[in-house]
Amino acid sequence: MLDILNMETGNETLSTDFILLGLFPGMRHPGLLVSLVFLIYTMAITGNITLILLIWADPHLHTSMYFLLSQLSLIDLAFISSIVPKMLVNFFSGKRKISLIGCGTQIFFSLTLGIAECLLLTLMSYDRYVAICNPLKYPIIISHQVSQKMAIGSWVGGTLASLAHTACVMHFPLCGTRELHHFFCEVKAILKLSCEDISAYEKGVLVTSIVVVLLPVSFILTSYTLIFLQILQINSREGKSKALATCSSHLTVVIFYYGPAMLIYMRPGSSHTPILNQGLFMFDTILTPMLNPLIYSLRNREVVGSMKKVLRRCPIQNRRPCFSY
């Protein structure tokens, strides 16, 4: 009798684990895709760490704009690291399970970092608006203290919203097999397994999506409309090019990040298209963190100049640290 109870207890423990079916289950050559993801992950880690170190090491980059950019790189670094390592471990170990606590932790961090990035990108658009439309007052309006508050507000806002949603999602009882048609623990994938009526919570998700996605997009569009109107008033071609260059990197990142996010959370019936959602999530959580440092590095003269200065200070024969002052 005791053995039966132990077996039942063991089965109950095992039943709390989720099974991640992985990225595009049913592919003929999943190893090739996973290898590509590992390459992208390596590039994302290298690019974001390099950008953070450059901003930290070069005094010319110790401005509010680059401080916010370093925070964006930090978020991207944590975002991709909260998802990809577990996916790689599951694939190479052959185990596709993730514990209940592990799943809740992954949901919390992915939501925190995703929402924080939304808020930070919105605040960065305001930073660009002030820099171009009110350049003389920029050091006063966007001081270092203000930029710190922007970064802290993004992290705190993402954390509070994530706590509320993680608690709600993990509270719902689940029925049947705990197979998630996803490569990480994602809210909508888990809600599909719920036994209860989740219509009330889905309304809450819609409200959060409006607050976190739709309103920031509206704010960003308003900021860039005012920016472009201001650029049109600049007489010199060089001045226009310089103003556009300072905005193009951020605007490109905004399109890459918000485009998939809007298709996932603002599209009716999006939960019924798991394959499409996986592709969109892959772009948002894996590709975008790799692309962001490349976009800012290749299109920003100051970052490129800083990289050249560091490389000049670090010849191959020189054993001194590259980022020493």
Side-chain angles (χ1 to χ4, degrees):
M1 183 68 180
L2 183 60
D3 291 336
I4 295 175
L5 288 175
N6 288 334
M7 289 175 62
E8 290 177 354
T9 304
N11 289 337
E12 184 180 351
T13 302
L14 290 174
S15 68
T16 62
D17 292 341
F18 291 92
I19 299 175
L20 296 171
L21 297 182
L23 188 61
F24 305 125
M27 279 191 64
R28 290 185 177 180
H29 305 287
L32 182 62
L33 182 60
V34 171
S35 299
L36 179 61
V37 169
F38 178 71
L39 177 62
I40 293 172
Y41 177 64
T42 304
M43 293 175 63
I45 294 295
T46 304
N48 283 292
I49 289 179
T50 301
L51 192 56
I52 291 171
L53 290 176
L54 278 176
I55 294 171
W56 170 77
D58 192 344
H60 293 94
L61 301 182
H62 292 177
T63 63
S64 297
M65 182 184 80
Y66 289 107
F67 171 75
L68 295 176
L69 178 56
S70 69
Q71 292 298 303
L72 180 64
S73 287
L74 186 61
I75 289 174
D76 283 336
L77 194 63
F79 201 3
I80 193 171
S81 295
S82 69
I83 293 171
V84 172
K86 177 61 178 175
M87 181 178 69
L88 295 176
V89 168
N90 282 1
F91 177 80
F92 288 111
S93 67
K95 298 177 181 179
R96 298 181 298 174
K97 292 183 178 180
I98 183 170
S99 67
L100 183 65
I101 295 176
C103 191
T105 302
Q106 198 171 59
I107 289 174
F108 170 74
F109 279 109
S110 61
L111 285 178
T112 296
L113 297 163
I115 295 172
E117 183 152 348
C118 287
L119 298 176
L120 186 63
L121 286 173
T122 305
L123 294 172
M124 289 175 74
S125 71
Y126 176 69
D127 170 84
R128 293 298 81 211
Y129 162 75
V130 176
I132 292 176
C133 297
N134 207 345
L136 297 179
K137 293 185 178 180
Y138 177 79
I140 300 173
I141 299 175
I142 311 293
S143 63
H144 188 62
Q145 290 76 16
V146 171
S147 62
Q148 286 181 333
K149 291 178 181 178
M150 287 180 173
I152 293 171
S154 300
W155 284 97
V156 171
T159 301
L160 294 178
S162 178
L163 275 174
H165 281 286
T166 303
C168 288
V169 171
M170 302 310 291
H171 173 74
F172 289 119
L174 306 178
C175 297
T177 58
R178 297 194 171 202
E179 291 185 347
L180 299 179
H181 293 267
H182 225 301
F183 56 92
F184 74 105
C185 281
E186 191 269 326
V187 171
K188 287 192 174 184
I190 292 179
L191 291 178
K192 291 179 68 175
L193 306 178
S194 176
C195 305
E196 290 187 355
D197 179 18
I198 58 172
S199 56
Y201 175 73
E202 287 179 330
K203 292 178 182 177
V205 173
L206 180 60
V207 171
T208 303
S209 301
I210 292 173
V211 173
V212 175
V213 178
L214 199 58
L215 289 181
V217 167
S218 302
F219 184 86
I220 292 170
L221 289 175
T222 302
S223 298
Y224 273 103
T225 300
L226 297 174
I227 287 171
F228 289 137
L229 290 175
Q230 181 67 28
I231 290 175
L232 290 175
Q233 297 177 13
I234 299 175
N235 295 323
S236 67
R237 181 178 298 179
E238 183 180 352
K240 287 183 178 180
S241 300
K242 187 176 180 180
L244 286 171
T246 61
C247 296
S248 59
S249 298
H250 176 259
L251 190 57
T252 303
V253 170
V254 166
I255 293 171
F256 281 171
Y257 185 76
Y258 273 102
M262 293 182 70
L263 289 174
I264 292 169
Y265 292 106
M266 307 297 291
R267 191 177 84 252
S270 61
S271 60
H272 302 297
T273 54
I275 299 298
L276 176 60
N277 278 354
Q278 280 201 39
L280 294 172
F281 270 111
M282 182 179 177
F283 194 94
D284 243 5
T285 61
I286 299 176
L287 284 176
T288 301
M290 180 202 70
L291 293 173
N292 286 354
L294 293 176
I295 292 169
Y296 273 102
S297 299
L298 296 176
R299 300 183 64 88
N300 191 302
R301 293 179 181 177
E302 290 181 317
V303 173
V304 173
S306 177
M307 175 67 77
K308 289 179 179 178
K309 284 193 296 184
V310 170
L311 292 176
R312 287 195 205 104
R313 291 202 315 232
C314 298
I316 296 176
Q317 295 84 1
N318 194 350
R319 296 185 179 181
R320 289 178 298 175
C322 296
F323 292 96
S324 61
Y325 284 90

